[in-house]
Amino acid sequence: MKPFVFFNAENVRIQLDDRSYDIQIGQNLLQGLSGDGAVPAGTAALVVTNETVQPLYGSRLVVALKQRYPVVHTVTLPDGEEHKNWQTLNLIFDALLQHGCDRKTVLFALGGGVVGDMAGFAAASYMRGVPFVQVPTTLLAQVDSSVGGKTAINHPLGKNMIGAFYQPQLVVCDLATLDTLPVRELSAGLAEIIKYGPIADMDFMGWLEEHMDSLLARDRTALAHAVRRSCEIKAWVVGQDEREAGLRAILNFGHTFGHAIEAGMGYGAWLHGEGVGAGMVMAAELSHRLGLVDDAFVARLKVLVQRAGLPLRGAVLDAADNAGRYLELMRVDKKAEAGEIRFVLIDGPGRACVRAAPDALVREVIDACCA
Amino acid sequence: MKPFVFFNAENVRIQLDDRSYDIQIGQNLLQGLSGDGAVPAGTAALVVTNETVQPLYGSRLVVALKQRYPVVHTVTLPDGEEHKNWQTLNLIFDALLQHGCDRKTVLFALGGGVVGDMAGFAAASYMRGVPFVQVPTTLLAQVDSSVGGKTAINHPLGKNMIGAFYQPQLVVCDLATLDTLPVRELSAGLAEIIKYGPIADMDFMGWLEEHMDSLLARDRTALAHAVRRSCEIKAWVVGQDEREAGLRAILNFGHTFGHAIEAGMGYGAWLHGEGVGAGMVMAAELSHRLGLVDDAFVARLKVLVQRAGLPLRGAVLDAADNAGRYLELMRVDKKAEAGEIRFVLIDGPGRACVRAAPDALVREVIDACCA
């Protein structure tokens, strides 16, 4: 196995010219945040969190921030993907305006991917842009959604359809916050970690096969490595293609099928990472049927997905024409062009590509892969 | 009088690195749009317009665009500043998603500032960014809101509070569309044109004094010059400070008081340009009381504002404590910092500055300048 390359012993750096920033990965980072020079200066801070995370970590963050900002406000959102909509986003704008927050107010997103996506979009849009810091408290957010500047809310007709590319000034991954993560969400985070193997680094996939039990037991050394390596790969990809003109789309491996499951089941029924888990198996199966990978590769991925506690099979979205419903939902995917679905496929282990596939073959895969 | 500097005989260029674009100014440009290489390519076009403009110019634009795009959709919004909110913005997202529009769909904003602001924010946010073209049909939009990349919607607690800096790929100012502009809106547009004199170019102010009658009579040669010179000055300012870190704020001369009038009266009661008209007089009066300009300058500006058909005096927003209400509304202005209002003032004719002023003096100005 090749040695892993670390950009920095402490931080992973996202290189994006004047929008570059650090991802800090470590234990008990929340407490030390106020003394950290990387935290942006401002006239006030607004902590955006949700009703689950607020009682666990809200006061720990607020106490730290009070040492750095003249005032610290908190807005607590309802928890869950089904609330990732305009109404909930507007709670953040209401709070900012009611408190008279100006352009130098720093937003802190304390929570999982939903909180990060909404706080990020609010930061991008409030007065046309205020600084923000991601403090992800779920494994999924630490390895994926809080890194790379994608922010968005859902529309009833499609996931993440309304948003902005907007980079945080800092990402703080405190591994201690993973102690309280429900096991189902731990598995959902592992889906986004597993993803980095097939698309970019089969050595990392081997490491995951060796250390899956440690990760499930929340061994902090194993978690630190998995988070760091995931962020490194994501940093490398995003650094080359910030606005998803090309390469960056490979990070959506498993997401085209996964988003269809999430939207088709109603947001919140399946966790995002669960959709990605089953979606990766479907995308790998499609890659295999297109002759890009052998069946041993698909089998190996399925074992890892299953060991992570993730669903292996997609949901049935329509009893009468399940494949038709998947295709309908996938045609509004953001990667689609003129109604043609663009799939992220595995073009040989450790290498991804983006391409179309014949509807008939996609239907075969859906029929074969849904429960 | 100094000769006017033109960047280009046909177009005014906004220089913003890879976000640079042209402003075309001329007659009957809508008809020729399809053959224009500057119009971005795409899989489809969506024309965003309103119920007033659609019957006048909608089909003219759609016919032209059908020669360039495989499909052309239209979404018609209700007319008026009071509709510049999330509900109306969502009509654009609904149309985009219902038509299955992808990332290569080009949005065309056909209308005034409200249509441009909403279509621009929709373009900035739909799938995190699609290309868009401004086709302003009001004088105000041609000289101000369609140029410079500011997009936004209003919040009940403040104007333009939610938005993005997002540049169009092209701005098409067809002077022929000004023929149908109501006279009240013509005056509102003149407010933003007059603005460029005091802040940047007193020669232009002299030209306006000479040609105000021609402008009110909609003489196309005079209008072409006024639009071009306004866009040139705006291009120069925006090119140096795209995201309003400093200099760009001078374009908001008259807007701090004006926004308070608009918000205090309820959006739509006063036109934006009417608020700017009275607001410029108030800002000039404050400049005078701070010793920055003499009273002859204030008197000269008042004559020009009045000749343009604009209100000279601010509205009474609160019979009991009018100045207090103005101050309250101005403290949520985007230029405010930690509750301190930042005024754009005239620091000598043709030169603007941004600074704070004592509350007591501001109260005096409001008391002296409101009807």
Side-chain angles (χ1 to χ4, degrees):
Chain A
M1 203 186 302
K2 282 184 294 184
F4 298 108
V5 179
F6 295 108
F7 296 139
N8 180 306
E10 295 298 319
N11 297 340
V12 176
R13 180 91 180 151
I14 305 273
Q15 293 287 0
L16 295 168
D17 303 326
D18 61 344
R19 298 175 305 289
S20 299
Y21 59 93
D22 282 328
I23 306 166
Q24 299 180 344
I25 301 162
Q27 298 180 37
N28 303 315
L29 298 179
L30 282 189
Q31 292 87 323
L33 213 53
S34 62
D36 189 329
V39 176
T43 52
L46 175 75
V47 176
V48 180
T49 185
N50 70 29
E51 60 203 7
T52 306
V53 175
Q54 197 280 326
L56 295 169
Y57 305 109
S59 63
R60 199 177 297 178
L61 181 59
V62 168
V63 165
L65 295 181
K66 277 191 173 160
Q67 294 173 55
R68 183 155 175 90
Y69 299 96
V71 275
V72 181
H73 307 289
T74 298
V75 59
T76 303
L77 310 178
D79 188 8
E81 181 82 29
E82 66 274 29
H83 299 291
K84 199 171 114 176
N85 55 29
W86 173 261
Q87 285 81 354
T88 310
L89 183 71
N90 211 32
L91 297 175
I92 306 174
F93 295 130
D94 289 345
L96 285 163
L97 283 160
Q98 280 158 8
H99 293 305
C101 290
D102 64 23
R103 267 184 183 161
K104 299 201 170 158
T105 303
V106 183
L107 265 63
F108 285 80
L110 177 69
V114 173
V115 164
D117 278 9
M118 283 197 291
F121 188 38
S125 308
Y126 184 63
M127 296 191 174
R128 303 194 186 94
V130 295
F132 89 112
V133 174
Q134 293 270 19
V135 189
T137 62
T138 68
L139 186 58
L140 189 139
Q142 292 189 352
V143 299
D144 185 54
S145 55
S146 71
V147 178
K150 280 193 181 179
T151 73
I153 56 173
N154 299 328
H155 184 281
L157 294 177
K159 188 174 156 72
N160 292 334
M161 283 294 162
I162 302 164
F165 288 99
Y166 195 71
Q167 303 298 339
Q169 303 220 339
L170 178 69
V171 179
V172 181
C173 298
D174 187 341
L175 300 169
T177 63
L178 302 181
D179 287 349
T180 50
L181 194 66
V183 66
R184 194 178 157 195
E185 299 219 27
L186 186 73
S187 292
L190 289 169
E192 294 281 8
I193 292 174
I194 291 170
K195 170 186 87 177
Y196 293 106
I199 65 169
D201 186 350
M202 290 302 287
D203 287 348
F204 184 50
M205 185 147 168
W207 183 90
L208 287 171
E209 288 168 332
E210 276 177 52
H211 295 86
M212 185 51 73
D213 294 339
S214 304
L215 291 169
L216 288 165
R218 305 183 197 218
D219 175 278
R220 289 208 185 154
T221 308
L223 284 170
H225 179 75
V227 170
R228 183 178 304 280
R229 187 66 192 140
S230 298
C231 288
E232 283 172 354
I233 296 171
K234 182 152 191 181
W236 175 77
V237 172
V238 171
Q240 291 177 81
D241 177 24
E242 183 180 2
R243 296 180 75 89
E244 202 166 28
L247 179 70
R248 183 168 178 167
I250 70 169
L251 296 175
N252 277 330
F253 175 55
H255 286 57
T256 307
F257 290 104
H259 284 172
I261 297 171
E262 281 184 89
M265 295 297 285
Y267 295 120
W270 278 52
L271 294 179
H272 174 67
E274 292 171 338
V276 171
M280 286 193 292
V281 173
M282 295 168 89
E285 184 63 36
L286 181 56
S287 307
H288 171 51
R289 290 183 191 223
L290 283 164
L292 302 173
V293 289
D294 60 20
D295 55 1
F297 174 81
V298 181
R300 188 177 163 192
L301 178 63
K302 284 168 83 168
V303 168
L304 196 56
V305 167
Q306 186 162 42
R307 282 181 64 202
L310 292 161
L312 273 185
R313 301 181 68 76
V316 175
L317 304 180
D318 184 325
D321 180 15
N322 187 46
R325 179 71 179 136
Y326 269 85
L327 285 166
E328 181 185 33
L329 288 163
M330 292 192 294
R331 278 191 226 289
V332 295
D333 186 89
K334 287 189 291 304
K335 291 185 299 302
E337 276 181 29
E340 186 180 79
I341 307 162
R342 313 281 298 166
F343 293 96
V344 182
L345 299 173
I346 301 305
D347 185 25
R351 203 171 65 235
C353 64
V354 181
R355 52 172 283 188
D359 271 9
L361 195 67
V362 176
R363 282 180 175 273
E364 273 182 37
V365 167
I366 294 165
D367 289 343
C369 291
C370 288
Chain B
M1 200 186 303
K2 280 184 297 184
F4 297 110
V5 179
F6 294 109
F7 295 141
N8 180 305
E10 296 296 320
N11 297 338
V12 176
R13 180 93 182 149
I14 306 271
Q15 294 287 0
L16 295 167
D17 301 327
D18 61 344
R19 297 175 305 290
S20 299
Y21 58 93
D22 282 328
I23 307 166
Q24 300 179 345
I25 301 162
Q27 298 181 36
N28 303 313
L29 298 178
L30 282 189
Q31 291 88 324
L33 212 55
S34 61
D36 190 329
V39 176
T43 52
L46 176 75
V47 175
V48 180
T49 185
N50 71 28
E51 59 203 7
T52 306
V53 176
Q54 196 281 326
L56 295 169
Y57 304 108
S59 63
R60 201 178 294 179
L61 181 60
V62 168
V63 165
L65 295 180
K66 276 192 172 160
Q67 294 174 52
R68 182 155 176 90
Y69 299 96
V71 276
V72 181
H73 307 288
T74 299
V75 59
T76 303
L77 309 178
D79 187 8
E81 182 82 29
E82 66 273 31
H83 298 292
K84 200 170 114 175
N85 55 29
W86 173 260
Q87 285 81 355
T88 310
L89 183 71
N90 211 31
L91 297 175
I92 307 175
F93 295 132
D94 289 345
L96 285 163
L97 284 160
Q98 280 157 6
H99 292 305
C101 289
D102 64 24
R103 266 183 183 162
K104 300 203 168 155
T105 302
V106 183
L107 265 63
F108 286 79
L110 177 70
V114 173
V115 164
D117 278 9
M118 283 197 290
F121 188 38
S125 307
Y126 185 62
M127 294 190 176
R128 301 193 188 94
V130 295
F132 91 112
V133 173
Q134 294 269 20
V135 188
T137 62
T138 68
L139 186 57
L140 189 138
Q142 292 188 355
V143 299
D144 186 55
S145 54
S146 71
V147 177
K150 280 193 181 179
T151 73
I153 56 173
N154 299 328
H155 184 281
L157 296 176
K159 188 173 157 72
N160 293 333
M161 282 294 163
I162 300 163
F165 288 101
Y166 194 71
Q167 303 297 339
Q169 304 221 338
L170 178 69
V171 180
V172 181
C173 297
D174 187 341
L175 300 169
T177 62
L178 302 181
D179 288 348
T180 51
L181 195 67
V183 65
R184 192 177 158 197
E185 298 218 28
L186 186 73
S187 292
L190 289 170
E192 294 281 7
I193 290 173
I194 291 170
K195 170 186 86 179
Y196 293 108
I199 65 168
D201 185 351
M202 289 303 286
D203 288 348
F204 184 51
M205 184 147 169
W207 183 91
L208 287 171
E209 288 168 331
E210 276 178 51
H211 294 86
M212 185 53 74
D213 294 340
S214 304
L215 291 168
L216 288 165
R218 306 184 198 217
D219 174 278
R220 288 206 187 157
T221 308
L223 285 170
H225 179 75
V227 171
R228 184 178 304 279
R229 187 67 193 139
S230 299
C231 288
E232 283 172 355
I233 296 171
K234 181 151 190 181
W236 175 76
V237 172
V238 172
Q240 290 176 82
D241 178 22
E242 182 179 3
R243 297 179 74 89
E244 202 166 29
L247 179 69
R248 182 169 179 164
I250 70 168
L251 296 175
N252 278 330
F253 175 55
H255 286 58
T256 306
F257 291 103
H259 283 171
I261 297 173
E262 281 184 89
M265 296 296 284
Y267 294 121
W270 278 50
L271 294 179
H272 173 66
E274 292 171 339
V276 171
M280 286 192 293
V281 173
M282 296 168 89
E285 184 62 37
L286 181 56
S287 307
H288 171 53
R289 292 184 189 222
L290 284 163
L292 302 173
V293 288
D294 60 21
D295 55 3
F297 174 82
V298 180
R300 188 176 164 194
L301 178 64
K302 284 169 85 168
V303 168
L304 196 56
V305 166
Q306 187 162 41
R307 283 182 64 202
L310 292 161
L312 273 185
R313 299 182 69 76
V316 176
L317 304 180
D318 185 323
D321 181 16
N322 186 46
R325 179 70 179 135
Y326 268 86
L327 285 165
E328 181 185 32
L329 287 163
M330 292 193 293
R331 279 192 225 288
V332 295
D333 185 89
K334 289 189 290 303
K335 292 184 298 302
E337 275 180 31
E340 186 180 77
I341 306 163
R342 311 283 296 166
F343 293 95
V344 182
L345 300 173
I346 302 305
D347 186 21
R351 203 172 65 236
C353 65
V354 181
R355 53 171 282 188
D359 271 9
L361 196 65
V362 176
R363 282 179 174 273
E364 274 181 36
V365 168
I366 294 165
D367 290 342
C369 292
C370 288

